[in-house]
Amino acid sequence: MAIRYLLGNEGIAHACLEANIDFASGYPGTPSSEVIDVLRVQKERPFTVEWSTNEKVAFENALAAAWCGVRALCTMKHVGLNVAADPLMTSAYTGVTGGFVILTADDPFAHSSQNEQDTRRYAHFSRLPCLDPASVQEAHDMMRDAFALSEEFGLPVIFRPTTRICHSKGDVDLGEIGTEHRAAEFRRDPKQYVVIPAHTRVLHKKLNEKQPDLKRRLVELGYNRHTVRGRTAVVASGVSAAYVREVLGDDVSLAIVGAYPIDEEWLRDFVDRHEKILVVEELDPVVEEVVRQVATKTEVFGKIDGTVPYEGEFTPAIVAAALEKAGITSTTTFPAAAPVPGVPPRPPILCAGCMHRPTFYAMRKVFRDGIFPSDIGCYTLGLQLGAVDTTICMGASITVGSGIARSGEERPVVSTIGDSTFLHTGIPGLLNAVYNGADMVVVILDNRITAMTGHQPNPNTGMTATGEESTPISLDAICRSCGVSWVETVDPYDLPVLLDTLRRAKERKGVRVVIAKQPCVITARRSGIKRKPYTVDPGRCTGCGACRSFGCPAIAFVDKNATITELCAGCGVCADICPSGAIIMEGRR
């Protein structure tokens, strides 16, 4: 068709269109989000696409579509697969009719994640094939072919790009967009789809019987390949193979593992030809464990003996250093880089005008000795305002909060959770807190969008993934249906009312919910909502620094006096904070 310069996720999305996809679902999670974002706005191929309320829901929707014979995709990030692990394990037993691909994007170095878990472990655990691309082009090609591989073996296929694949750009040789559309038909087969113990025992045996043919097929497809060039060798997987190619000499053999499970006979044949082998892979020693298992006389270096680091993502410099440790000469050396002096740190920060900032500010004012469990979202940055004490996983703010409250801790507990996260996995925790009599405040930060991952809509937005209007759900009604008797909705830009609402919540017992509701400042701007910016009257400013404690990036200090920059979004909260009345709306005196 054409060669285009694309983001990895854009190439992956186009590959789905080439493969005649008819159903796609997912939950936003960096670095995977752009795949559905591209698919939901493209016009070339009509098919069903949705943002689901969480990864388990997305998985089960796509699995059901694949049971109906159509080709289906489900997307998430690595920690999202924890949420979908229950259906994942059993889907390996039931199998699929139409091709089913589970895109699970891993995040070495935890650029935007709470851990560095390795999805290949789930592939081994579930006995499902896993494709691990080494370049943007290979990510496109593997995704295009993954649906056929799924149908050939009647199994879901895990597709594991990492951050450097998803968010790198490169030339991608694209194919034609598919024009075939299958008619969905669910064919009853209780022995296949009803996993009672009698059926499960049979299905498990069938799954195990597929493994040898599956291993050989991955070699035949060229996903696992090698070149013998000397008595020493490197075995690399995923994007690590790209780094290895940059620094490996022409006299060193190279094996690339791009798919799992690994054919032990193929690997043993390669390993036995060499005296020394270095295994280079990001995160867990998945490949290295198999190399050590098949090696009979070859010396093996890798993570297990400390030659290669366990943590983080790699670079050519890290690979070159590992080669040197293993006694293999690299073609390039990398001198240590000294940090440039005087460069100020630039940590992540809440946007100017973000509704979360006044909410956290008010919480700290009212609950001075409070404990603040929080959740996954932009609002995790409330850590910088002293209003985030714990963050574990999606939905955990309420359950951790109720656990602290019921443990005997006497200080007040105030949990914060976003609207999308609340709908994802927060509701069961709220129900449990009410049921078991927790004494706590839950603050739902309702900005009407899934902001952190790229402003994707959710059931609270009033719009589907494809832009169609939908009925926005009522967070108030959900909370009351969970048994919460005291629910208040407040505009966080109205600081006096917000403070009063939190004070009234503090005086009560049981589970209380405050819904801080204001559109995300970025989506508000995109939709044409503009507020007049604020300015500082230098004659009134005393330089007291009260506004500095608010932490807004639009507020700066020059010669000990406050000034407001062009970043101002016009929320006006700083005017409520200023004790001398020096902060006023532009044009007013």
Side-chain angles (χ1 to χ4, degrees), residues 7-233:
L7 191 73
N9 280 343
E10 292 175 320
I12 291 167
H14 199 279
C16 294
L17 301 178
E18 296 173 36
N20 292 305
I21 187 174
D22 272 318
F23 190 97
S25 58
Y27 185 82
T30 305
S32 72
S33 305
E34 293 89 353
V35 176
I36 293 288
D37 275 337
V38 170
L39 293 175
R40 70 191 180 101
V41 299
Q42 62 82 36
K43 304 298 182 184
E44 294 90 344
R45 178 179 174 82
F47 65 97
T48 301
V49 58
E50 70 172 47
W51 283 123
S52 306
T53 53
N54 66 33
E55 294 85 359
K56 181 176 184 290
V57 172
F59 188 104
E60 291 161 352
N61 271 267
L63 175 63
W67 283 349
C68 295
V70 303
R71 288 187 166 180
L73 170 74
C74 178
T75 73
M76 63 196 72
K77 68 185 296 179
H78 60 294
V79 288
L81 193 56
N82 299 332
V83 180
D86 198 349
L88 170 77
M89 302 305 297
T90 305
S91 71
Y93 285 29
T94 66
V96 292
T97 305
F100 178 32
V101 180
I102 307 144
L103 187 157
T104 307
D106 280 8
D107 189 19
F109 194 68
H111 290 279
S112 57
S113 308
Q114 62 267 44
N115 68 36
E116 291 185 291
Q117 73 186 51
D118 194 325
T119 292
R120 296 177 299 168
R121 293 297 192 190
Y122 267 120
H124 182 265
F125 191 16
S126 61
R127 310 218 77 184
L128 290 176
C130 176
L131 307 184
D132 192 10
S135 67
V136 172
Q137 180 68 60
E138 189 171 49
H140 165 274
D141 296 347
M142 281 184 168
M143 176 56 82
R144 178 196 60 207
D145 300 337
F147 295 93
L149 178 66
S150 172
E151 290 171 356
E152 180 180 348
F153 286 90
L155 292 173
V157 171
I158 297 173
F159 180 73
R160 183 232 185 197
T162 57
T163 301
R164 290 299 169 191
I165 296 295
C166 294
H167 287 168
S168 293
K169 298 192 81 169
D171 289 338
V172 184
D173 189 358
L174 302 174
E176 297 289 339
I177 292 176
T179 57
E180 175 194 339
H181 290 277
R182 301 181 183 181
E185 181 185 2
F186 180 76
R187 298 183 179 179
R188 288 186 175 87
D189 187 354
K191 291 185 178 180
Q192 192 73 29
Y193 300 129
V194 182
V195 282
I196 59 174
H199 298 165
T200 293
R201 298 179 192 115
V202 176
L203 294 172
H204 191 188
K205 188 173 188 297
K206 289 181 178 179
L207 174 62
N208 291 334
E209 289 171 349
K210 292 179 180 180
Q211 300 303 307
D213 289 342
L214 178 58
K215 293 176 182 179
R216 287 190 291 269
R217 185 65 173 137
L218 297 178
V219 175
E220 294 169 359
L221 290 170
Y223 297 150
N224 296 337
R225 66 269 192 197
H226 60 62
T227 303
V228 177
R229 297 183 293 211
R231 298 298 296 164
T232 59

Side-chain angles (χ1 to χ4, degrees), residues 547-564:
C547 59
R548 191 198 298 270
S549 65
F550 187 49
C552 178
I555 300 174
F557 273 75
V558 178
D559 296 330
K560 297 184 179 180
N561 281 352
T563 183
I564 295 180

